[in-house]
PDB file of all heavy atoms in Angstrom:
ATOM      1  N   ARG A  23     -24.822  74.499 -83.290  1.00 80.00           N
ATOM      2  CA  ARG A  23     -26.218  74.087 -83.112  1.00 80.00           C
ATOM      3  C   ARG A  23     -26.320  72.862 -82.210  1.00 80.00           C
ATOM      4  O   ARG A  23     -27.253  72.748 -81.419  1.00 80.00           O
ATOM      5  CB  ARG A  23     -26.845  73.786 -84.469  1.00 80.00           C
ATOM      6  CG  ARG A  23     -26.862  74.918 -85.477  1.00 80.00           C
ATOM      7  CD  ARG A  23     -27.631  76.149 -85.065  1.00 80.00           C
ATOM      8  NE  ARG A  23     -26.985  76.925 -84.005  1.00 80.00           N
ATOM      9  CZ  ARG A  23     -25.895  77.673 -84.166  1.00 80.00           C
ATOM     10  NH1 ARG A  23     -25.282  77.719 -85.346  1.00 80.00           N
ATOM     11  NH2 ARG A  23     -25.394  78.357 -83.170  1.00 80.00           N
ATOM     12  N   ASP A  26     -25.813  74.128 -78.707  1.00 82.00           N
ATOM     13  CA  ASP A  26     -27.017  74.842 -78.267  1.00 82.00           C
ATOM     14  C   ASP A  26     -28.112  73.868 -77.853  1.00 82.00           C
ATOM     15  O   ASP A  26     -28.783  74.050 -76.832  1.00 82.00           O
ATOM     16  CB  ASP A  26     -27.540  75.736 -79.396  1.00 82.00           C
ATOM     17  CG  ASP A  26     -26.674  76.971 -79.597  1.00 82.00           C
ATOM     18  OD1 ASP A  26     -25.762  77.187 -78.770  1.00 82.00           O
ATOM     19  OD2 ASP A  26     -26.907  77.698 -80.579  1.00 82.00           O
ATOM     20  N   HIS A  29     -27.292  72.138 -74.501  1.00 84.00           N
ATOM     21  CA  HIS A  29     -27.456  73.056 -73.380  1.00 84.00           C
ATOM     22  C   HIS A  29     -28.930  73.326 -73.091  1.00 84.00           C
ATOM     23  O   HIS A  29     -29.365  73.373 -71.924  1.00 84.00           O
ATOM     24  CB  HIS A  29     -26.724  74.369 -73.670  1.00 84.00           C
ATOM     25  CG  HIS A  29     -26.626  75.272 -72.477  1.00 84.00           C
ATOM     26  ND1 HIS A  29     -26.445  76.636 -72.599  1.00 84.00           N
ATOM     27  CD2 HIS A  29     -26.691  75.021 -71.145  1.00 84.00           C
ATOM     28  CE1 HIS A  29     -26.395  77.170 -71.402  1.00 84.00           C
ATOM     29  NE2 HIS A  29     -26.546  76.214 -70.497  1.00 84.00           N
ATOM     30  N   LEU A  33     -30.932  72.581 -69.618  1.00 85.00           N
ATOM     31  CA  LEU A  33     -31.622  73.625 -68.869  1.00 85.00           C
ATOM     32  C   LEU A  33     -33.061  73.225 -68.550  1.00 85.00           C
ATOM     33  O   LEU A  33     -33.540  73.381 -67.414  1.00 85.00           O
ATOM     34  CB  LEU A  33     -31.608  74.937 -69.665  1.00 85.00           C
ATOM     35  CG  LEU A  33     -30.327  75.777 -69.609  1.00 85.00           C
ATOM     36  CD1 LEU A  33     -30.420  76.946 -70.587  1.00 85.00           C
ATOM     37  CD2 LEU A  33     -30.075  76.296 -68.200  1.00 85.00           C
ATOM     38  N   VAL A  67     -22.842  82.926 -64.705  1.00 91.00           N
ATOM     39  CA  VAL A  67     -22.375  81.956 -65.690  1.00 91.00           C
ATOM     40  C   VAL A  67     -21.550  82.702 -66.735  1.00 91.00           C
ATOM     41  O   VAL A  67     -21.780  83.898 -66.989  1.00 91.00           O
ATOM     42  CB  VAL A  67     -23.571  81.233 -66.347  1.00 91.00           C
ATOM     43  CG1 VAL A  67     -24.416  82.211 -67.158  1.00 91.00           C
ATOM     44  CG2 VAL A  67     -23.090  80.097 -67.253  1.00 91.00           C
ATOM     45  N   ILE A  69     -20.478  82.531 -70.724  1.00 82.00           N
ATOM     46  CA  ILE A  69     -20.825  81.896 -71.992  1.00 82.00           C
ATOM     47  C   ILE A  69     -19.804  82.297 -73.052  1.00 82.00           C
ATOM     48  O   ILE A  69     -19.199  83.369 -72.979  1.00 82.00           O
ATOM     49  CB  ILE A  69     -22.241  82.284 -72.457  1.00 82.00           C
ATOM     50  CG1 ILE A  69     -22.320  83.802 -72.707  1.00 82.00           C
ATOM     51  CG2 ILE A  69     -23.292  81.827 -71.450  1.00 82.00           C
ATOM     52  CD1 ILE A  69     -23.620  84.231 -73.352  1.00 82.00           C
ATOM     53  N   ALA A  70     -19.626  81.417 -74.003  1.00 77.00           N
ATOM     54  CA  ALA A  70     -18.721  81.682 -75.135  1.00 77.00           C
ATOM     55  C   ALA A  70     -19.509  81.498 -76.421  1.00 77.00           C
ATOM     56  O   ALA A  70     -20.246  80.522 -76.567  1.00 77.00           O
ATOM     57  CB  ALA A  70     -17.525  80.742 -75.105  1.00 77.00           C
ATOM     58  N   GLU A  71     -19.369  82.449 -77.328  1.00 74.00           N
ATOM     59  CA  GLU A  71     -20.068  82.372 -78.607  1.00 74.00           C
ATOM     60  C   GLU A  71     -19.267  81.520 -79.591  1.00 74.00           C
ATOM     61  O   GLU A  71     -18.040  81.576 -79.617  1.00 74.00           O
ATOM     62  CB  GLU A  71     -20.249  83.780 -79.193  1.00 74.00           C
ATOM     63  CG  GLU A  71     -21.182  84.655 -78.399  1.00 74.00           C
ATOM     64  CD  GLU A  71     -22.628  84.201 -78.498  1.00 74.00           C
ATOM     65  OE1 GLU A  71     -22.945  83.393 -79.393  1.00 74.00           O
ATOM     66  OE2 GLU A  71     -23.438  84.651 -77.677  1.00 74.00           O
ATOM     67  N   ASP A  72     -19.984  80.750 -80.416  1.00 72.00           N
ATOM     68  CA  ASP A  72     -19.289  79.978 -81.448  1.00 72.00           C
ATOM     69  C   ASP A  72     -18.902  80.906 -82.599  1.00 72.00           C
ATOM     70  O   ASP A  72     -19.386  82.035 -82.723  1.00 72.00           O
ATOM     71  CB  ASP A  72     -20.160  78.817 -81.942  1.00 72.00           C
ATOM     72  CG  ASP A  72     -21.490  79.293 -82.519  1.00 72.00           C
ATOM     73  OD1 ASP A  72     -21.471  79.949 -83.565  1.00 72.00           O
ATOM     74  OD2 ASP A  72     -22.545  78.993 -81.909  1.00 72.00           O
ATOM     75  N   ARG A  75     -21.730  82.384 -84.877  1.00 78.00           N
ATOM     76  CA  ARG A  75     -22.466  83.519 -84.328  1.00 78.00           C
ATOM     77  C   ARG A  75     -21.607  84.777 -84.335  1.00 78.00           C
ATOM     78  O   ARG A  75     -22.115  85.881 -84.579  1.00 78.00           O
ATOM     79  CB  ARG A  75     -22.926  83.203 -82.905  1.00 78.00           C
ATOM     80  CG  ARG A  75     -24.046  82.191 -82.824  1.00 78.00           C
ATOM     81  CD  ARG A  75     -24.504  82.040 -81.382  1.00 78.00           C
ATOM     82  NE  ARG A  75     -25.413  80.931 -81.212  1.00 78.00           N
ATOM     83  CZ  ARG A  75     -26.730  80.993 -81.391  1.00 78.00           C
ATOM     84  NH1 ARG A  75     -27.281  82.129 -81.764  1.00 78.00           N
ATOM     85  NH2 ARG A  75     -27.485  79.933 -81.205  1.00 78.00           N
ATOM     86  N   LEU A  89     -29.308  91.853 -83.474  1.00 76.00           N
ATOM     87  CA  LEU A  89     -28.389  90.730 -83.324  1.00 76.00           C
ATOM     88  C   LEU A  89     -29.148  89.550 -82.712  1.00 76.00           C
ATOM     89  O   LEU A  89     -28.914  89.143 -81.575  1.00 76.00           O
ATOM     90  CB  LEU A  89     -27.196  91.120 -82.446  1.00 76.00           C
ATOM     91  CG  LEU A  89     -26.215  92.126 -83.047  1.00 76.00           C
ATOM     92  CD1 LEU A  89     -25.190  92.537 -82.011  1.00 76.00           C
ATOM     93  CD2 LEU A  89     -25.528  91.554 -84.270  1.00 76.00           C
ATOM     94  N   SER A  90     -30.092  89.024 -83.479  1.00 75.00           N
ATOM     95  CA  SER A  90     -30.947  87.973 -82.940  1.00 75.00           C
ATOM     96  C   SER A  90     -30.161  86.719 -82.596  1.00 75.00           C
ATOM     97  O   SER A  90     -30.538  85.973 -81.683  1.00 75.00           O
ATOM     98  CB  SER A  90     -32.055  87.634 -83.945  1.00 75.00           C
ATOM     99  OG  SER A  90     -31.514  87.264 -85.193  1.00 75.00           O
ATOM    100  N   ALA A  91     -29.076  86.469 -83.297  1.00 73.00           N
ATOM    101  CA  ALA A  91     -28.257  85.289 -82.983  1.00 73.00           C
ATOM    102  C   ALA A  91     -27.699  85.393 -81.576  1.00 73.00           C
ATOM    103  O   ALA A  91     -27.653  84.414 -80.823  1.00 73.00           O
ATOM    104  CB  ALA A  91     -27.125  85.156 -83.999  1.00 73.00           C
ATOM    105  N   HIS A  92     -27.278  86.606 -81.186  1.00 78.00           N
ATOM    106  CA  HIS A  92     -26.757  86.801 -79.837  1.00 78.00           C
ATOM    107  C   HIS A  92     -27.876  86.872 -78.801  1.00 78.00           C
ATOM    108  O   HIS A  92     -27.670  86.518 -77.643  1.00 78.00           O
ATOM    109  CB  HIS A  92     -25.925  88.090 -79.784  1.00 78.00           C
ATOM    110  CG  HIS A  92     -24.522  87.906 -80.255  1.00 78.00           C
ATOM    111  ND1 HIS A  92     -23.678  86.968 -79.732  1.00 78.00           N
ATOM    112  CD2 HIS A  92     -23.807  88.540 -81.223  1.00 78.00           C
ATOM    113  CE1 HIS A  92     -22.510  87.030 -80.329  1.00 78.00           C
ATOM    114  NE2 HIS A  92     -22.561  87.972 -81.244  1.00 78.00           N
ATOM    115  N   GLU A  93     -29.041  87.360 -79.209  1.00 79.00           N
ATOM    116  CA  GLU A  93     -30.159  87.447 -78.269  1.00 79.00           C
ATOM    117  C   GLU A  93     -30.508  86.074 -77.706  1.00 79.00           C
ATOM    118  O   GLU A  93     -30.754  85.915 -76.507  1.00 79.00           O
ATOM    119  CB  GLU A  93     -31.378  88.054 -78.962  1.00 79.00           C
ATOM    120  CG  GLU A  93     -31.247  89.547 -79.237  1.00 79.00           C
ATOM    121  CD  GLU A  93     -32.424  90.089 -80.024  1.00 79.00           C
ATOM    122  OE1 GLU A  93     -33.317  89.282 -80.351  1.00 79.00           O
ATOM    123  OE2 GLU A  93     -32.457  91.293 -80.299  1.00 79.00           O
ATOM    124  N   ALA A  94     -30.544  85.082 -78.583  1.00 79.00           N
ATOM    125  CA  ALA A  94     -30.871  83.730 -78.129  1.00 79.00           C
ATOM    126  C   ALA A  94     -29.828  83.216 -77.137  1.00 79.00           C
ATOM    127  O   ALA A  94     -30.162  82.559 -76.143  1.00 79.00           O
ATOM    128  CB  ALA A  94     -30.974  82.792 -79.334  1.00 79.00           C
ATOM    129  N   SER A  95     -28.550  83.519 -77.404  1.00 82.00           N
ATOM    130  CA  SER A  95     -27.489  83.070 -76.496  1.00 82.00           C
ATOM    131  C   SER A  95     -27.586  83.781 -75.151  1.00 82.00           C
ATOM    132  O   SER A  95     -27.381  83.172 -74.093  1.00 82.00           O
ATOM    133  CB  SER A  95     -26.113  83.335 -77.124  1.00 82.00           C
ATOM    134  OG  SER A  95     -25.930  82.563 -78.284  1.00 82.00           O
ATOM    135  N   ILE A  96     -27.905  85.079 -75.183  1.00 84.00           N
ATOM    136  CA  ILE A  96     -28.025  85.839 -73.935  1.00 84.00           C
ATOM    137  C   ILE A  96     -29.191  85.302 -73.101  1.00 84.00           C
ATOM    138  O   ILE A  96     -29.103  85.179 -71.865  1.00 84.00           O
ATOM    139  CB  ILE A  96     -28.221  87.338 -74.226  1.00 84.00           C
ATOM    140  CG1 ILE A  96     -26.963  87.916 -74.880  1.00 84.00           C
ATOM    141  CG2 ILE A  96     -28.559  88.093 -72.956  1.00 84.00           C
ATOM    142  CD1 ILE A  96     -25.727  87.824 -74.020  1.00 84.00           C
ATOM    143  N   THR A  97     -30.297  84.973 -73.763  1.00 85.00           N
ATOM    144  CA  THR A  97     -31.439  84.422 -73.032  1.00 85.00           C
ATOM    145  C   THR A  97     -31.079  83.101 -72.365  1.00 85.00           C
ATOM    146  O   THR A  97     -31.451  82.829 -71.209  1.00 85.00           O
ATOM    147  CB  THR A  97     -32.629  84.217 -73.990  1.00 85.00           C
ATOM    148  OG1 THR A  97     -33.026  85.480 -74.507  1.00 85.00           O
ATOM    149  CG2 THR A  97     -33.801  83.572 -73.270  1.00 85.00           C
ATOM    150  N   ARG A  98     -30.333  82.273 -73.084  1.00 85.00           N
ATOM    151  CA  ARG A  98     -29.915  80.996 -72.496  1.00 85.00           C
ATOM    152  C   ARG A  98     -28.983  81.234 -71.314  1.00 85.00           C
ATOM    153  O   ARG A  98     -29.030  80.522 -70.306  1.00 85.00           O
ATOM    154  CB  ARG A  98     -29.235  80.131 -73.561  1.00 85.00           C
ATOM    155  CG  ARG A  98     -29.775  78.741 -73.580  1.00 85.00           C
ATOM    156  CD  ARG A  98     -29.247  77.838 -74.655  1.00 85.00           C
ATOM    157  NE  ARG A  98     -27.841  77.959 -74.937  1.00 85.00           N
ATOM    158  CZ  ARG A  98     -27.365  78.492 -76.038  1.00 85.00           C
ATOM    159  NH1 ARG A  98     -28.181  78.954 -76.955  1.00 85.00           N
ATOM    160  NH2 ARG A  98     -26.074  78.567 -76.254  1.00 85.00           N
ATOM    161  N   ALA A  99     -28.121  82.261 -71.430  1.00 88.00           N
ATOM    162  CA  ALA A  99     -27.229  82.588 -70.320  1.00 88.00           C
ATOM    163  C   ALA A  99     -28.031  83.088 -69.118  1.00 88.00           C
ATOM    164  O   ALA A  99     -27.713  82.762 -67.964  1.00 88.00           O
ATOM    165  CB  ALA A  99     -26.223  83.651 -70.762  1.00 88.00           C
ATOM    166  N   LYS A 100     -29.084  83.879 -69.393  1.00 90.00           N
ATOM    167  CA  LYS A 100     -29.938  84.334 -68.295  1.00 90.00           C
ATOM    168  C   LYS A 100     -30.594  83.149 -67.589  1.00 90.00           C
ATOM    169  O   LYS A 100     -30.669  83.099 -66.352  1.00 90.00           O
ATOM    170  CB  LYS A 100     -31.018  85.273 -68.832  1.00 90.00           C
ATOM    171  CG  LYS A 100     -30.535  86.658 -69.216  1.00 90.00           C
ATOM    172  CD  LYS A 100     -31.714  87.494 -69.695  1.00 90.00           C
ATOM    173  CE  LYS A 100     -31.297  88.920 -70.011  1.00 90.00           C
ATOM    174  NZ  LYS A 100     -32.444  89.731 -70.457  1.00 90.00           N
ATOM    175  N   ARG A 101     -31.065  82.217 -68.377  1.00 89.00           N
ATOM    176  CA  ARG A 101     -31.718  81.035 -67.791  1.00 89.00           C
ATOM    177  C   ARG A 101     -30.733  80.235 -66.937  1.00 89.00           C
ATOM    178  O   ARG A 101     -31.079  79.757 -65.850  1.00 89.00           O
ATOM    179  CB  ARG A 101     -32.290  80.160 -68.905  1.00 89.00           C
ATOM    180  CG  ARG A 101     -33.504  80.747 -69.604  1.00 89.00           C
ATOM    181  CD  ARG A 101     -33.912  79.914 -70.792  1.00 89.00           C
ATOM    182  NE  ARG A 101     -34.266  78.551 -70.402  1.00 89.00           N
ATOM    183  CZ  ARG A 101     -34.478  77.560 -71.273  1.00 89.00           C
ATOM    184  NH1 ARG A 101     -34.363  77.788 -72.586  1.00 89.00           N
ATOM    185  NH2 ARG A 101     -34.808  76.363 -70.847  1.00 89.00           N
ATOM    186  N   GLU A 102     -29.502  80.108 -67.447  1.00 90.00           N
ATOM    187  CA  GLU A 102     -28.482  79.357 -66.697  1.00 90.00           C
ATOM    188  C   GLU A 102     -28.135  80.076 -65.395  1.00 90.00           C
ATOM    189  O   GLU A 102     -28.028  79.450 -64.320  1.00 90.00           O
ATOM    190  CB  GLU A 102     -27.233  79.196 -67.554  1.00 90.00           C
ATOM    191  CG  GLU A 102     -26.099  78.443 -66.888  1.00 90.00           C
ATOM    192  CD  GLU A 102     -26.390  76.965 -66.730  1.00 90.00           C
ATOM    193  OE1 GLU A 102     -26.955  76.371 -67.670  1.00 90.00           O
ATOM    194  OE2 GLU A 102     -26.056  76.408 -65.658  1.00 90.00           O
ATOM    195  N   ILE A 132     -18.771  86.202 -72.417  1.00 82.00           N
ATOM    196  CA  ILE A 132     -19.548  87.137 -71.615  1.00 82.00           C
ATOM    197  C   ILE A 132     -19.933  86.477 -70.298  1.00 82.00           C
ATOM    198  O   ILE A 132     -20.324  85.307 -70.264  1.00 82.00           O
ATOM    199  CB  ILE A 132     -20.826  87.580 -72.367  1.00 82.00           C
ATOM    200  CG1 ILE A 132     -20.449  88.333 -73.650  1.00 82.00           C
ATOM    201  CG2 ILE A 132     -21.709  88.453 -71.480  1.00 82.00           C
ATOM    202  CD1 ILE A 132     -21.631  88.719 -74.492  1.00 82.00           C
ATOM    203  N   MET A 134     -22.590  86.504 -67.299  1.00 90.00           N
ATOM    204  CA  MET A 134     -23.937  86.946 -66.954  1.00 90.00           C
ATOM    205  C   MET A 134     -24.138  86.745 -65.454  1.00 90.00           C
ATOM    206  O   MET A 134     -23.896  85.649 -64.932  1.00 90.00           O
ATOM    207  CB  MET A 134     -24.974  86.138 -67.738  1.00 90.00           C
ATOM    208  CG  MET A 134     -26.413  86.558 -67.470  1.00 90.00           C
ATOM    209  SD  MET A 134     -26.747  88.255 -68.031  1.00 90.00           S
ATOM    210  CE  MET A 134     -26.493  88.052 -69.807  1.00 90.00           C
ATOM    211  N   ILE A 162     -37.565  87.540 -78.628  1.00 47.00           N
ATOM    212  CA  ILE A 162     -36.500  86.776 -79.264  1.00 47.00           C
ATOM    213  C   ILE A 162     -36.934  86.342 -80.660  1.00 47.00           C
ATOM    214  O   ILE A 162     -38.026  85.806 -80.849  1.00 47.00           O
ATOM    215  CB  ILE A 162     -36.136  85.534 -78.429  1.00 47.00           C
ATOM    216  CG1 ILE A 162     -35.619  85.972 -77.074  1.00 47.00           C
ATOM    217  CG2 ILE A 162     -35.087  84.687 -79.142  1.00 47.00           C
ATOM    218  CD1 ILE A 162     -34.429  86.895 -77.116  1.00 47.00           C
ATOM    219  N   LEU A 167     -30.889  80.546 -88.219  1.00 68.00           N
ATOM    220  CA  LEU A 167     -29.601  81.240 -88.286  1.00 68.00           C
ATOM    221  C   LEU A 167     -29.016  81.250 -89.693  1.00 68.00           C
ATOM    222  O   LEU A 167     -28.309  82.194 -90.073  1.00 68.00           O
ATOM    223  CB  LEU A 167     -28.616  80.594 -87.311  1.00 68.00           C
ATOM    224  CG  LEU A 167     -28.829  80.914 -85.830  1.00 68.00           C
ATOM    225  CD1 LEU A 167     -27.733  80.267 -84.993  1.00 68.00           C
ATOM    226  CD2 LEU A 167     -28.858  82.411 -85.589  1.00 68.00           C
TER     227      LEU A 167
END
Side-chain angles (χ1 to χ4, degrees):
R23 301 299 71 73
D26 286 353
H29 191 203
L33 280 173
V67 65
I69 62 172
E71 293 290 345
D72 59 67
R75 288 185 190 274
L89 291 173
S90 56
H92 277 305
E93 288 175 359
S95 295
I96 294 299
T97 297
R98 229 176 40 251
K100 286 182 176 181
R101 289 173 60 190
E102 180 71 41
I132 297 176
M134 182 65 64
I162 298 303
L167 285 183

